[in-house]
Amino acid sequence: MNDIIQLLPDNIANQIAAGEVIQRPASAVKELLENAVDAGATEIKLIVSDAGKALIQVIDNGKGMSDTDARMAFERHATSKIRQIEDLFRIKTMGFRGEALASVAAVAQVEMKTRRKDDELGTYIEIENSRVIKQEPCSSQVGTSISMKNLFFNVPARRNFLKSNAAELRHIMDEFIRVSMAFPDIFFSLTSNGQEVFHLEPGTLKQRIVQILGNNYNAKLVHVAEKTDYMNIYGFVGKPETARKTRGDQYFFVNSRFIKSAYLNHAVNTAFDEMIPKDSFPGYVLFIDLDPSQVDINVHPTKQEIKFEDEKIIYAFVQAAVKHALAQFSIAPSLDFTLNADIQGLDAVSKPFTTDKKDAVASSSLYQTFTQKNQAHFIERENKAELKHWKSFFEPQHTENIVDKPAEQPIQSLLHTPVARLQNIHVLADTTLLQLHNTYIIASTNSGFILVHQQLAHERVLYDRYSTAAHGQQMATQKSLFPVTLELPAADAALLTDLLPDLSSIGYQVEPFGNHSFVIQGIPADITTGNEKHTIELLIEQFKHFSSDIKFSKREKLVRCMARQQAIKAGQTLSQKEMLVLIEELFTCSTPNVTPTGAPTYLEFKEDYLDRMFGK
């Protein structure tokens, strides 16, 4: 019998490795940027065409490579970072994976120019399908330029799985931001289809954060800095007012490498307890430096998921550091020391501080918090008055007003006809509706009663309305008397540009204004005016962090986000008229009993069931 086990050809083995390492254009961007950082570059330029499908080029001014190293870099398991097994546990560099360039060369047409400072000539290499097509001396700048063309040209099945250019460009931006955020002392630029998207001059970490996330963060960052023998943590967290309803600008770096960690996210979130609503998420850019032997970065091919030797210590330290920073911020507001005549006349200045007053102050919990040792960061849970102003920022300010929207029939006629005719449920219109806890609506029916969740019910109503508009019957737009200008970070601007046609179908009129700016000319006619900017910013956040389930189209995700955002919130008081119109509209929906995500909009309690509950 013939032997049947054979070694795979190099090009096929490399393609298999590429399946783990290069999953999309952004994966290649990450690898090439990290190699440029490790080369000691002070300037790194990323150029992409067609969201990386046609071209990904990284140009750096690093130390470059010899002709031998340039050729060896594309071999499998080739790396300059590891000599023995122990080195795997002492890695402090970024691009150490021995599969990276070999994987790139297996799925793209690659050209590289590289030159060291002391060499007169550089090296030019051209590789296709893991085979060197050309290698020759060339004139080039000091450093390295690598171009990847026609990604997955030899693996058409993989290319077919790539998403739209807008979606792939967002992934590229994510990887670019993560690397450039970690190294603020390096110049980075990103050019897409000939247009410069990012131009990040070297500077401090705070300057880099503002460059990337936008000027709105400039005065809203709290500095975090703690050092111990075991680990250091530094960076910035956003003030409570910057918290968002979705996971937004959250960046964790361990030894300058971006990581994803729900565990550490939870540590930061708990540090914000009582300062932001429980359904909001703080923004932060935090760096943890510790001995590489205390962390395993080889648990996932992308190196974005890691394992700490002692997670509990890291968790406690992160939580304490953030709490300490927030406490310093909250007890040390900026003071104006210029004292005018009005202040001089206040009782606190003009009248003596008696012994009785002194005893009263000294016995207060606030005084004790300031005077007892190690209590500066302590906030009593029982006293939440100081925190109310943070919470008020997140209360729904401009939700759709159901009263302002005309009902399908005059209210008078609704009062004399059954409101709900579907599901064999008939709401008795001649009885008063009851709102419970400003969240639920109790309505009598011919066979018992129903308990309606007002937010979920309204979400179903709005979903049907927006879905109809998005698929043909475009909603009316109310023009803004004074158009609002909206400035966004580059990544958000790219996303909004991609969403403009779909936003138009549901009533938004938004026009690009250059340099990541937009002008809001109009909004859907049934949305309250006055908060257009916040509405679109929140919509972008929700869309970015929507489930990545591929069964939903871009337009479907947008409709669901809109319905969730504009629905009246639990806790909002409704009038009899508003409750009546809501229930009427709910039972004219195609599927009134559940939200688009499958949550029930109401529960039905029948009379025979109620009788059994009371033993009758």
Side-chain angles (χ1 to χ4, degrees):
M1 293 182 64
N2 294 329
D3 297 330
I4 60 174
I5 297 178
Q6 302 177 19
L7 287 175
L8 287 171
D10 283 347
N11 63 317
I12 296 179
N14 286 342
Q15 285 187 18
I16 294 173
E20 285 293 320
V21 180
I22 310 299
Q23 299 172 351
R24 60 185 346 138
S27 309
V29 166
K30 176 180 184 291
E31 300 295 338
L32 298 180
L33 289 178
E34 289 181 347
N35 282 340
V37 170
D38 285 342
T42 59
E43 291 186 5
I44 300 175
K45 300 176 182 178
L46 170 63
I47 302 169
V48 298
S49 295
D50 292 336
K53 299 172 185 177
L55 171 69
I56 298 172
Q57 183 177 12
V58 173
I59 305 170
D60 70 64
N61 66 345
K63 58 188 177 184
M65 288 179 278
S66 67
D67 57 348
T68 302
D69 283 348
R71 175 65 187 86
M72 284 293 295
F74 290 96
E75 296 291 340
R76 292 193 69 200
H77 312 304
T79 177
S80 62
K81 318 292 172 55
I82 300 171
R83 291 289 181 269
Q84 53 192 2
I85 190 64
E86 289 78 14
D87 292 340
L88 277 173
F89 305 99
R90 294 194 292 262
I91 292 170
K92 293 185 178 181
T93 53
M94 303 289 289
F96 64 89
R97 186 187 294 103
E99 305 286 349
L101 290 183
S103 298
V104 167
V107 292
Q109 298 162 326
V110 179
E111 296 178 8
M112 181 172 75
K113 286 184 178 182
T114 183
R115 181 169 77 88
R116 295 181 299 183
K117 182 178 180 181
D118 296 332
D119 294 338
E120 291 186 7
L121 291 175
T123 302
Y124 172 82
I125 293 181
E126 189 175 331
I127 299 178
E128 184 175 302
N129 204 20
S130 296
R131 293 185 176 88
V132 177
I133 306 299
K134 183 185 294 186
Q135 180 172 355
E136 61 186 18
C138 71
S139 61
S140 68
Q141 300 291 327
V142 173
T144 303
S145 170
I146 298 183
S147 299
M148 289 178 51
K149 299 178 180 178
N150 302 320
L151 184 64
F152 299 137
F153 77 102
N154 53 351
V155 196
R158 292 286 303 280
R159 192 175 179 91
N160 291 339
F161 273 95
L162 296 179
K163 297 186 178 180
S164 68
N165 280 6
E168 294 298 342
L169 183 60
R170 289 200 301 273
H171 286 289
I172 288 174
M173 286 184 176
D174 286 342
E175 295 296 351
F176 177 87
I177 287 172
R178 291 163 183 172
V179 177
S180 60
M181 190 85 81
F183 299 96
D185 56 333
I186 299 177
F187 168 86
F188 284 90
S189 69
L190 167 57
T191 301
S192 173
N193 294 336
Q195 182 177 359
E196 190 172 55
V197 181
F198 285 100
H199 184 95
L200 308 177
E201 293 290 346
T204 64
L205 175 59
K206 183 176 181 180
Q207 289 170 333
R208 180 58 53 90
I209 293 172
V210 173
Q211 284 177 324
I212 293 174
L213 301 184
N215 288 327
N216 59 315
Y217 272 97
N218 194 26
K220 299 177 182 178
L221 294 173
V222 179
H223 187 233
V224 178
E226 300 287 349
K227 291 186 177 181
T228 68
D229 293 337
Y230 183 76
M231 62 175 281
N232 299 331
I233 181 171
Y234 63 94
F236 293 89
V237 294
K239 293 180 181 179
E241 65 203 71
T242 66
R244 300 186 178 184
K245 294 292 185 182
T246 55
R247 294 190 184 278
D249 303 321
Q250 298 184 327
Y251 298 89
F252 251 119
F253 299 87
V254 173
N255 293 343
S256 296
R257 181 182 299 278
F258 173 80
I259 66 162
K260 295 178 180 177
S261 173
Y263 190 65
L264 294 185
N265 280 346
H266 187 268
V268 177
N269 288 344
T270 55
F272 276 83
D273 273 354
E274 306 294 338
M275 300 189 77
I276 62 176
K278 292 190 179 298
D279 60 347
S280 295
F281 302 94
Y284 55 81
V285 179
L286 293 173
F287 291 77
I288 296 174
D289 288 342
L290 76 167
D291 189 331
S293 64
Q294 301 294 323
V295 57
D296 183 3
I297 57 177
N298 294 297
V299 298
H300 192 274
T302 67
K303 314 300 179 187
Q304 289 183 2
E305 297 177 16
I306 66 174
K307 184 174 179 58
F308 295 102
E309 186 172 281
D310 195 328
E311 287 189 326
K312 291 183 179 179
I313 290 179
I314 306 294
Y315 182 100
F317 194 76
V318 168
Q319 184 187 51
V322 174
K323 274 189 174 181
H324 185 210
L326 290 172
Q328 287 182 317
F329 154 70
S330 63
I331 66 174
S334 59
L335 297 176
D336 184 359
F337 289 99
T338 59
L339 202 61
N340 63 28
D342 293 335
I343 295 178
Q344 296 284 4
L346 294 176
D347 287 352
V349 176
S350 60
K351 293 185 177 180
F353 190 49
T354 64
T355 303
D356 292 342
K357 291 181 179 178
K358 179 179 179 181
D359 292 341
V361 171
S363 63
S364 70
S365 60
L366 182 62
Y367 178 86
Q368 293 170 6
T369 299
F370 275 90
T371 55
Q372 292 177 9
K373 188 176 180 181
N374 299 324
Q375 292 293 301
H377 64 282
F378 181 73
I379 298 175
E380 292 187 79
R381 291 183 178 272
E382 293 77 18
N383 185 10
K384 302 178 183 178
E386 307 96 319
L387 306 173
K388 286 183 179 178
H389 66 290
W390 295 120
K391 294 187 176 181
S392 65
F393 178 81
F394 300 94
E395 293 298 326
Q397 298 175 1
H398 296 281
T399 56
E400 182 183 8
N401 191 343
I402 300 179
V403 175
D404 294 338
K405 182 183 182 303
E408 298 289 334
Q409 307 173 47
I411 287 294
Q412 289 79 5
S413 65
L414 291 177
L415 292 174
H416 300 288
T417 58
V419 177
R421 298 180 179 85
L422 302 179
Q423 313 279 319
N424 294 321
I425 295 175
H426 296 273
V427 175
L428 302 181
D430 56 350
T431 59
T432 301
L433 300 176
L434 175 65
Q435 188 181 26
L436 183 64
H437 299 304
N438 288 341
T439 299
Y440 304 97
I441 300 171
I442 299 177
S444 298
T445 67
N446 58 333
S447 60
F449 71 90
I450 58 171
L451 184 66
V452 180
H453 193 290
Q454 64 188 43
Q455 180 173 342
L456 299 180
H458 198 210
E459 187 176 326
R460 161 50 69 181
V461 169
L462 293 179
Y463 172 81
D464 278 26
R465 188 182 305 165
Y466 293 139
S467 185
T468 300
H471 295 89
Q473 300 179 20
Q474 185 165 342
M475 292 185 68
T477 298
Q478 54 179 330
K479 292 293 185 70
S480 300
L481 186 59
F482 302 101
V484 178
T485 301
L486 174 64
E487 293 185 9
L488 294 173
D492 289 355
L495 173 57
L496 182 56
T497 300
D498 187 41
L499 291 177
L500 289 183
D502 300 296
L503 283 170
S504 177
S505 70
I506 56 176
Y508 279 99
Q509 186 178 341
V510 183
E511 299 175 357
F513 196 55
N515 196 26
H516 314 318
S517 297
F518 300 82
V519 176
I520 305 171
Q521 300 281 10
I523 61 175
D526 60 352
I527 292 181
T528 306
T529 59
N531 208 18
E532 297 89 344
K533 181 178 177 181
H534 175 72
T535 298
I536 292 183
E537 287 175 338
L538 182 57
L539 187 63
I540 292 172
E541 277 303 305
Q542 289 178 326
F543 190 92
K544 281 195 301 186
H545 303 284
F546 200 92
S547 168
S548 58
D549 195 332
I550 60 173
K551 71 181 180 182
F552 293 142
S553 67
K554 180 176 59 178
R555 185 161 293 192
E556 174 70 9
K557 290 179 182 178
L558 183 62
V559 166
R560 291 183 177 223
C561 288
M562 276 288 294
R564 189 180 310 152
Q565 180 199 86
Q566 293 297 322
I568 56 174
K569 301 300 183 281
Q572 182 173 333
T573 304
L574 301 180
S575 67
Q576 282 289 312
K577 177 182 176 181
E578 289 173 321
M579 289 188 285
L580 191 61
V581 171
L582 175 58
I583 293 177
E584 168 69 15
E585 291 190 331
L586 174 64
F587 283 98
T588 58
C589 292
S590 56
T591 313
N593 58 321
V594 292
T595 67
T597 58
T601 59
Y602 67 86
L603 299 176
E604 183 181 9
F605 295 83
K606 293 189 175 182
E607 191 173 4
D608 56 350
Y609 171 72
L610 297 174
D611 289 339
R612 288 198 303 272
M613 289 179 63
F614 288 95
K616 292 187 177 181

